[in-house]
Amino acid sequence: MSNAENNERTKYWYEIFYSDQDFFKFVGFKDDATTRKEVNFILKALDLPEHSKILDLCCGYGRHSIELAKRGYHVVGLDLSERYLQLGKKRAKEENVDVTFVQGDMRELPWIGEFDGVINMFTSFGFFEGDKENLKVLENVSKALKERGIFLLDVENKYYFILNDVLRKGKDWIEYDDGSIALISNNYDVLREREIMKVKIIKGNIVKESGYSIRLYSYPELVVMLRKVNLEPYAVYGDYDFTPLRLTSKRLIILSRKVHDKRNIE
């Protein structure tokens, strides 16, 4: 695709939502204590020796990547958003840690058999309209992992989202210290199984609108997809404290291992 064609085409929601700085505050920046707690979970779940190589897929501004690097791991963070990667590089330099940040599409990973572990945090899966494209992401994860490497997939539990964010809230708003307001509308497309969130940020006379549309999968659906690409699920949790997955769980966290021959799964 030429640059002219690329500039003329309609941008996908994730190209807009994660590139406009006005929406960064809506997505949020977690405090250091939260990040440390989540990385504690990641490391306990992956159970990899120090100096192992980890891919942080859709790393955002790199908070997990940087904390993992502080703990002695070799980390590559990949994201599509140049703005987020710039923030990650700046923070890594300030923290004096070595993280390799790469701009790229998670459907087109260049690595083969390189990583001991891959993490995909905070519902950074299901972005694409078709299941084939989302499956392509998992196929690339499998290729990037070493034999017996571990994949940690962390997505929103769609039943929690429907029961709480749609049926109980529907609409909500957030007020920020700078005087701006974010108006949020949550809905669920039952025909396409997609979380639909629309956000309008108002600051004075300036109004910006964006949002996201994410395919939310159930645990059985994800198990089928993972097995198609030789990733065998072996554990599932409902939050970062290792609680079991329930209807009311906020998260759906699956651990799977890359296997060559499914008949040899332990």
Side-chain angles (χ1 to χ4, degrees):
M1 181 181 289
S2 69
N3 288 335
E5 290 172 327
N6 188 59
N7 291 334
E8 289 176 3
R9 71 170 174 81
T10 301
K11 288 188 176 183
Y12 298 106
W13 69 261
Y14 46 85
E15 294 176 290
I16 300 169
F17 191 69
Y18 294 114
S19 63
D20 191 324
Q21 195 162 351
D22 285 333
F23 291 101
F24 282 10
K25 60 189 174 187
F26 174 76
V27 177
F29 295 89
K30 302 292 185 180
D31 59 73
D32 292 343
T34 298
T35 298
R36 286 192 294 269
K37 179 181 177 181
E38 291 166 359
V39 168
N40 287 341
F41 168 82
I42 291 169
L43 292 180
K44 189 173 181 180
L46 294 181
D47 193 25
L48 294 173
E50 194 173 327
H51 305 303
S52 296
K53 193 168 185 180
I54 298 174
L55 173 62
D56 186 355
L57 186 62
C58 298
C59 65
Y61 59 96
R63 66 188 183 91
H64 295 116
S65 296
I66 292 168
E67 183 64 24
L68 286 166
K70 286 182 180 179
R71 310 280 185 100
Y73 293 85
H74 300 294
V75 186
V76 176
L78 180 137
D79 204 274
L80 189 65
S81 170
E82 184 178 356
R83 285 182 178 269
Y84 272 126
L85 291 174
Q86 288 173 349
L87 290 174
K89 290 175 182 178
K90 182 176 181 292
R91 179 71 180 272
K93 186 176 181 180
E94 292 170 350
E95 298 280 348
N96 194 30
V97 293
D98 185 18
V99 176
T100 301
F101 287 106
V102 178
Q103 185 175 19
D105 189 316
M106 59 181 158
R107 293 166 294 184
E108 301 173 3
L109 303 184
W111 303 286
I112 297 177
E114 189 159 339
F115 296 96
D116 302 289
V118 176
I119 62 173
N120 183 245
M121 304 292 293
F122 286 112
T123 319
S124 296
F125 180 74
F127 282 11
F128 308 110
E129 188 64 30
D131 288 342
K132 287 184 178 179
E133 284 187 286
N134 293 318
L135 184 63
K136 183 69 175 177
V137 175
L138 299 181
E139 183 180 353
N140 274 274
V141 168
S142 183
K143 288 180 180 178
L145 280 168
K146 296 177 182 178
E147 193 73 16
R148 306 293 292 173
I150 300 171
F151 177 43
L152 190 162
L153 177 61
D154 165 35
V155 294
E156 188 172 13
N157 177 13
K158 68 178 177 181
Y159 304 112
Y160 179 90
F161 172 75
I162 294 169
L163 290 172
N164 291 274
D165 294 332
V166 177
L167 296 181
R168 293 180 185 172
K169 291 182 183 176
K171 295 183 179 181
D172 204 352
W173 69 86
I174 302 172
E175 297 182 17
Y176 298 101
D177 293 339
D178 63 1
S180 60
I181 300 173
L183 301 177
I184 307 135
S185 174
N186 291 303
N187 210 335
Y188 193 74
D189 187 330
V190 295
L191 298 181
R192 297 186 301 142
E193 295 272 29
R194 298 188 77 87
E195 171 184 350
I196 309 296
M197 190 280 298
K198 295 180 181 179
V199 57
K200 180 186 294 184
I201 292 183
I202 304 169
K203 186 175 182 180
N205 296 325
I206 300 174
V207 178
K208 285 191 174 183
E209 296 186 61
S210 187
Y212 51 72
S213 168
I214 298 176
R215 170 69 156 95
L216 295 183
Y217 293 94
S218 66
Y219 172 70
E221 288 173 322
L222 287 172
V223 168
V224 170
M225 294 175 75
L226 289 163
R227 285 178 171 162
K228 282 184 179 179
V229 296
N230 290 335
L231 292 170
E232 180 60 27
Y234 64 89
V236 59
Y237 304 105
D239 214 330
Y240 307 119
D241 56 3
F242 293 93
T243 52
L245 176 67
R246 300 185 178 92
L247 180 66
T248 55
S249 298
K250 290 186 177 182
R251 312 304 304 169
L252 194 176
I253 304 170
I254 301 179
L255 293 171
S256 55
R257 191 183 303 277
K258 181 178 178 179
V259 293
H260 177 67
D261 187 339
K262 294 177 182 176
R263 292 171 298 180
N264 293 331
I265 296 169
E266 296 179 356

